[in-house]
Amino acid sequence: MAISDTAAIATRASNTARAGIVLMLAALAIAPFVGLYPVFLMKALCFALFACAFNLLLGFGGLLSFGHAMFLGTAGYVSAHAAKVWGLPFELAVLSGTAAAAALGTLVGALAIRRQGIYFAMITLAIAQMMFFFYLQTPFTHGEDGIQSVPRGRLFGVFDLSSTLTMYYVVLIIFALAFLLIYRVIHSPFGQVLKAIRENEPRAISLGYDADRYKLLAFILSATLAGLAGATKSIVFQLASLTDVHWTMSGEVVLMTLLGGMGTIFGPVVGAFIIIGIESYLSDFGEWVTVITGVIFVVCVLAFRRGIVGELSAWWSKHAG
Amino acid sequence: MQALFGQLLVGLINGAFYAMLSLGLAVIFGLLNIINFTHGAQYMMGAFCAWFLLNKAGVGYWWSLLIAPVVVGAFGMLIERTMLARLYKLDHLYGLLLTFGLALIIQGLFRNEFGSSGMPYQIPTELAGGLNLGFMFLPKYRAWVIIASLAVCFSTWYVIERTKLGSYLRAATENPALVQAFGINVPRMITLTFGFGVGLAALAGVMAAPIYQVNPLMGADMIIVVFAVVVIGGMGSIMGAILTGFGLGVVEGLTKYFYAEASNTVIFVIMVIVLLIKPAGLFGRER
């Protein structure tokens, strides 16, 4: 295949992706007016951002973190505390939570990338469990109760966020900006090197790339964006609780990414909407949700490894020639 | 002083379970290159199996020690044959994800059936009561758990490191294709090894039942600590898994005595320190 052909295909693919992004954001912008509950949409968007951040690490860096809940939860606690106790406005509360997640991500990332593969997963899981016990015992999180009735406040002192619709559009804008940032990162030289390291680390190193530095940067970026999701979530739902730092949450984000399609741009968003949808419609069935979650995991791994978006785009490229 | 020895004993008991569970994980990992996330759930199934045998069939503790590992081990082998075997050619992370999903299913089903409160399991009459050692009171059952788990761990070590069967196993860990070429049925060996590792978890579950009560979630938090134990010890050696398991149990017990607030986290903190100093783990080698 000539280089110009490859370039043409790449351009076509990125045009499709860009059209997809515009369509997705437009659909989300009108979603509250076609009968979808803004509260459901906000929850799904927070998790979609969380899953996209996670996918940046797993899908493009090849690193499976089994402890990403610690970033979601840490940012949630810090933002909730900042908004409620320190009285910071919305934007600063979210920023401080995100910064906390970035700091934690730097520390954990530096440790975890010392091992690879399965060990990486176990180490992140263990550190996340340590953070869980820390938040369980430290007084500012209020243990089992969590930080409740966090004030939403006003955005830039102007927009009153107690209105659900205003809040929804703020969440949508945060999501859109983060999503575009991730898209940009994936297609930047940094993202390409990251993919090269995922495919063949020794080779990337022999080409002169400092693999550990790239992995650490990817980890920090992923942790920061996961933190942004957690910070937004805790203020939108006015609650920061232990659920968000528990290992089941770490498992959930893995599931969303796996179901939607890891390594795809839209996969995590699709996965997050489906899983949050299932959870809110089946919330009366208690533990059956856990069972169903497990079944989806097993089915995905055994029969459906590319995820929904991955399978669709494979089918598309086969039939569109 | 009483309290110190009491916590040391609790630490040794926990250490016994850490050792048995991480031993099972290490054996499975050695041959299958899979981290078995269902290990905690299978430990819980072992305890439930014993509870069922006692309360529904009237079968006592001693028979449970034999029956539960066989039943749960067979269940493990079924999973290995029907599901895990399809994943060997893929990235090992898929094995982790699959077993994580299975753990969620098993735990969810048991919670639906039994709720989240624990059910008591009586200590067998032969081991009721205790011994007064002068400086502390030693319940007989706890002494039995420590001795029995030591025996189980060291016989496993002996079989793997010192017998013909173990040498096949170690050879298959190094180079399965070559071992198969010598006429050894490697897939069957993999299945049996997986069953054995799972059986160890179930055995630990039966032994834990009289101490911790039988609870659907008893394995969920345990498995994360055991993962940390495995990271600290490194998966390179069987002996490493045993020593780290017992050692960390004791350290945890001592922490409970000297600074109780940190007892939940001490093992994770040690893991962080070990990662900084010796990333491959205390007994591990880089692979």
Side-chain angles (χ1 to χ4, degrees):
Chain A
M1 187 184 287
I3 290 170
S4 58
D5 287 352
T6 326
I9 289 172
T11 320
R12 202 166 66 197
S14 78
N15 279 343
T16 319
R18 275 180 206 156
I21 293 174
V22 172
L23 267 179
M24 174 184 77
L25 293 178
L28 285 170
I30 58 164
F33 301 105
V34 294
L36 286 167
Y37 294 110
V39 176
F40 166 77
L41 287 170
M42 286 193 283
K43 189 172 181 194
L45 278 180
C46 289
F47 278 100
L49 174 54
F50 184 31
C52 287
F54 175 79
N55 184 43
L56 181 63
L57 193 63
L58 173 63
F60 298 94
L63 296 170
L64 171 61
S65 156
F66 235 105
H68 248 49
M70 68 180 133
F71 307 117
L72 184 84
T74 298
Y77 275 129
V78 171
S79 299
H81 189 75
K84 193 179 177 185
V85 181
W86 299 338
L88 290 186
F90 174 79
E91 60 278 4
L92 289 182
V94 168
L95 266 184
S96 52
T98 312
L104 182 66
T106 313
L107 289 176
V108 175
L111 262 178
I113 58 163
R114 295 170 78 91
R115 300 303 305 270
Q116 292 169 352
I118 287 167
Y119 284 99
F120 182 88
M122 288 196 290
I123 290 165
T124 42
L125 176 64
I127 297 178
Q129 185 76 349
M130 180 168 81
M131 294 307 295
F132 173 82
F133 282 120
F134 171 72
Y135 289 124
L136 183 66
Q137 289 171 344
T138 194
F140 93 93
T141 59
H142 301 285
E144 302 277 351
D145 295 337
I147 305 180
Q148 294 179 357
S149 53
V150 178
R152 278 184 186 172
R154 287 167 176 275
L155 178 67
F156 304 126
V158 183
F159 303 105
D160 184 4
L161 297 177
S162 56
S163 144
T164 309
L165 213 54
T166 318
M167 189 76 246
Y168 172 68
Y169 283 106
V170 172
V171 174
L172 180 57
I173 289 167
I174 292 175
F175 169 77
L177 291 176
F179 189 86
L180 292 173
L181 173 72
I182 291 173
Y183 180 77
R184 191 71 205 86
V185 167
I186 291 167
H187 294 275
S188 70
F190 171 79
Q192 300 299 323
V193 176
L194 204 58
K195 274 184 253 178
I197 293 172
R198 177 192 67 186
E199 294 302 325
N200 193 338
E201 184 168 340
R203 194 156 176 192
I205 293 172
S206 75
L207 287 170
Y209 293 110
D210 184 351
D212 279 354
R213 229 187 79 222
Y214 281 89
K215 283 199 250 175
L216 180 59
L217 262 179
F219 195 94
I220 296 172
L221 195 59
S222 172
T224 310
L225 290 169
L228 178 62
T232 314
K233 178 172 173 289
S234 75
I235 297 205
V236 169
F237 295 97
Q238 307 184 296
L239 173 72
S241 71
L242 284 171
T243 322
D244 289 354
V245 276
H246 197 245
W247 58 263
T248 44
M249 186 59 80
S250 299
E252 208 159 291
V253 73
V254 180
L255 178 66
M256 288 170 183
T257 310
L258 187 68
L259 175 64
M262 53 178 149
T264 64
I265 298 165
F266 298 105
V269 182
V270 173
F273 270 80
I274 293 175
I275 297 295
I276 297 300
I278 291 176
E279 278 173 8
S280 50
Y281 286 106
L282 293 183
S283 56
D284 299 336
F285 290 86
E287 277 303 311
W288 284 111
V289 176
T290 318
V291 179
I292 292 169
T293 313
V295 170
I296 299 177
F297 250 109
V298 171
V299 171
C300 279
V301 171
L302 286 179
F304 209 52
R305 279 183 288 276
R306 282 184 288 203
I308 294 173
V309 173
E311 295 289 346
L312 279 179
S313 71
W315 181 86
W316 181 258
S317 55
K318 209 163 107 189
H319 286 75
Chain B
M1 221 42 194
Q2 283 273 356
L4 176 62
F5 281 113
Q7 292 300 353
L8 259 179
L9 181 65
V10 171
L12 269 177
I13 296 278
N14 281 335
F17 294 126
Y18 295 159
M20 286 175 73
L21 290 174
S22 61
L23 182 63
L25 279 180
V27 169
I28 292 173
F29 181 79
L31 203 56
L32 285 79
N33 268 314
I34 277 179
I35 275 293
N36 181 22
F37 222 123
T38 16
H39 222 65
Q42 281 148 347
Y43 161 80
M44 177 268 286
M45 285 171 80
F48 265 95
C49 207
W51 186 85
F52 268 109
L53 286 171
L54 185 66
N55 290 293
K56 307 286 175 195
V59 178
Y61 176 81
W62 302 104
W63 279 107
S64 295
L65 278 180
L66 188 68
I67 298 173
V70 171
V71 170
V72 181
F75 171 75
M77 289 193 269
L78 188 72
I79 288 175
E80 195 276 337
R81 273 297 88 200
T82 52
M83 301 184 196
L84 281 173
R86 297 156 182 257
L87 302 176
Y88 291 145
K89 291 194 177 67
L90 302 167
D91 193 321
H92 301 318
L93 290 176
Y94 284 112
L96 180 74
L97 294 175
L98 179 83
T99 51
F100 178 72
L102 288 171
L104 288 182
I105 297 176
I106 297 169
Q107 264 155 23
L109 288 175
F110 274 84
R111 272 191 85 175
N112 269 330
E113 202 58 40
F114 301 99
S116 52
S117 57
M119 297 181 294
Y121 184 93
Q122 291 154 340
I123 292 177
T125 43
E126 296 87 339
L127 294 173
L131 307 164
N132 196 342
L133 301 181
F135 56 92
M136 69 176 293
F137 180 76
L138 177 67
K140 277 188 202 161
Y141 184 76
R142 305 202 162 203
W144 150 253
V145 167
I146 294 172
I147 294 167
S149 66
L150 277 171
V152 168
C153 286
F154 283 107
S155 29
T156 307
W157 171 82
Y158 184 83
V159 169
I160 292 178
E161 299 288 341
R162 294 283 181 273
T163 64
K164 190 95 178 167
L165 181 69
S167 69
Y168 290 154
L169 208 73
R170 280 177 289 133
T173 306
E174 295 289 330
N175 191 338
L178 196 61
V179 174
Q180 181 127 28
F182 286 147
I184 291 164
N185 188 341
V186 172
R188 195 176 63 196
M189 199 155 80
I190 289 178
T191 307
L192 289 175
T193 307
F194 190 78
F196 175 75
V198 171
L200 267 182
L203 181 64
V206 179
M207 282 162 60
I211 297 182
Y212 298 130
Q213 294 201 321
V214 180
N215 177 336
L217 293 179
M218 63 193 287
D221 290 329
M222 186 78 155
I223 191 68
I224 303 181
V225 179
V226 173
F227 279 177
V229 172
V230 162
V231 173
I232 294 170
M235 299 247 238
S237 79
I238 299 293
M239 193 53 100
I242 301 172
L243 292 180
T244 340
F246 275 100
L248 287 172
V250 170
V251 169
E252 199 184 41
L254 289 176
T255 317
K256 255 184 211 138
Y257 177 75
F258 288 107
Y259 187 63
E261 287 83 354
S263 61
N264 280 332
T265 43
V266 64
I267 290 186
F268 303 118
V269 174
I270 293 174
M271 183 193 77
V272 168
I273 296 169
V274 168
L275 278 174
L276 286 172
I277 300 168
K278 203 164 178 293
L282 295 178
F283 299 89
R285 49 193 171 157
E286 288 283 0
R287 44 192 292 164

